[in-house]
Amino acid sequence: MYDLTVLIPTFNEEANIRNIVMAVDAVFHEHSLHGQILVVDDNSSDATISIVHELMMSKENVEILIREKDHGLSQSVADGFSHALSDVFIVIDADFSHPPVLIPRMYEEIRKGNDIIIGSRYMEGGGIKKWPLKRRIISIGATFLGRLLFPDITDPVSGFFAVKKEVVDKAPLKPRGYKILLEVLGKGIWENAKEIPFEFVDREIGSSKLKTGTIIDYARQVADITLYSFSHHNSAAWREWKRVFKFGIVGISGIVINLGILFLLVEFFTMNKDLASPIAIEISILSNFILNDLWTFGSIENKKVAGRWHRLVAFNIVSVGGAAINYGIFLMLTTWFAVYYLAAQLIGIVIAFVWNFLVNRRVTWKRTQ
Ligand code: GDD
Ligand code: MN
């Protein structure tokens, strides 16, 4: 049994495989880690397999899994999970896009009790070197979609990550395409994920195997994870849905409070209705804030970035923005598209709700590491 297994998926990597295996093994020695190196190869037609066989003669911790069917990066990593001889898996590319020197830190963080450690290109300190604009745009789009499900994670489609065996052991992974991490986040059983910044360096040797068809695969994967979360309430994506529902319930309570206060002020305090309305609005914003702070986002309380007053001000600004969106959509739909006024208002409410949730989740109740 090893301390950890480093999984290296390969397909025609004869130019890199020896160096990456040596580099990972050197890192093991330097940090006195008893690590396994498992190359998961999709039956490469070049010398990759024979080079690994040669390395195996002098290194007993090096292994190769040669796959003959169901070609694919994600499938290979998933196969690697079930063949690894340890309880901690770290996935790394063969082409030195991911720095092997981070392996011991990832392992340490797992030992400290984290379930998943992600090498992030999109957090402070991370980055991407030498990527053409097209790839950057695709990557940003993919990251945006992934963050809808996992807003606390800056790089949910990274190919460089560490995961505990128990996270993926019983997970019904449906690996497809390139984004195995998203599948792990969506189907795995986990509580704590942490990110470590790194700079992605595009390959010097060989060519990338990313194709445009993978974008469609990716959108299907996101949809699949979303559906999965509806029936698996221990999944991380479901935790996010619960927040959406709670946020909605709080919003409805806000409407009741808004109308109730308005009624009270006008009927019992004989206040001018034009003054009473903004007061009622602000009071409902305050009550929404308190309920969301304690209930909807209560579980991330001790990890919030901003202080309470900061959160209150942010929530107020976002709410006013939401009201403006609601009103703007109402005006647009009724004047330009002749939509029935109640329907126009309802559409405005729904869009403002999405705005309020997404922005508040990412700004007001953003979580720190
Ligand atoms: N077994 C197997 N099967 N390995 C593969 C396959 C495959 O079909 N396709 C690629 N690989 C291996 C490569 O040999 C390399 O070690 C690693 O997977 C990454 O492949 P690249 O072709 O170099 O990927 P990339 O640089 O375009 O994409 C990177 O960025 C993505 C994030 O945007 C990779 O790091 C991905 O893992 C990452 O998700
Ligand atoms: Mn690469």
Side-chain angles (χ1 to χ4, degrees), residues 13 93 95 97 131 135 200-203 207-209:
E13 293 285 359
D93 285 358
D95 58 0
S97 289
W131 254 17
R135 273 213 72 176
F200 185 99
V201 185
D202 207 5
R203 61 167 68 238
S207 62
S208 164
K209 285 120 196 154

Side-chain angles (χ1 to χ4, degrees), residues 9-11 13 40-42 71-73 76 93-95 98 121 131 135 157-159 178-179 200 202-203 207-210:
T10 54
F11 186 60
E13 293 285 359
V40 189
D41 186 84
D42 262 339
H71 183 106
L73 175 53
S76 298
D93 285 358
D95 58 0
H98 306 146
R121 299 162 292 171
W131 254 17
R135 273 213 72 176
V157 295
S158 175
Y178 259 50
K179 306 307 173 193
F200 185 99
D202 207 5
R203 61 167 68 238
S207 62
S208 164
K209 285 120 196 154
L210 184 82

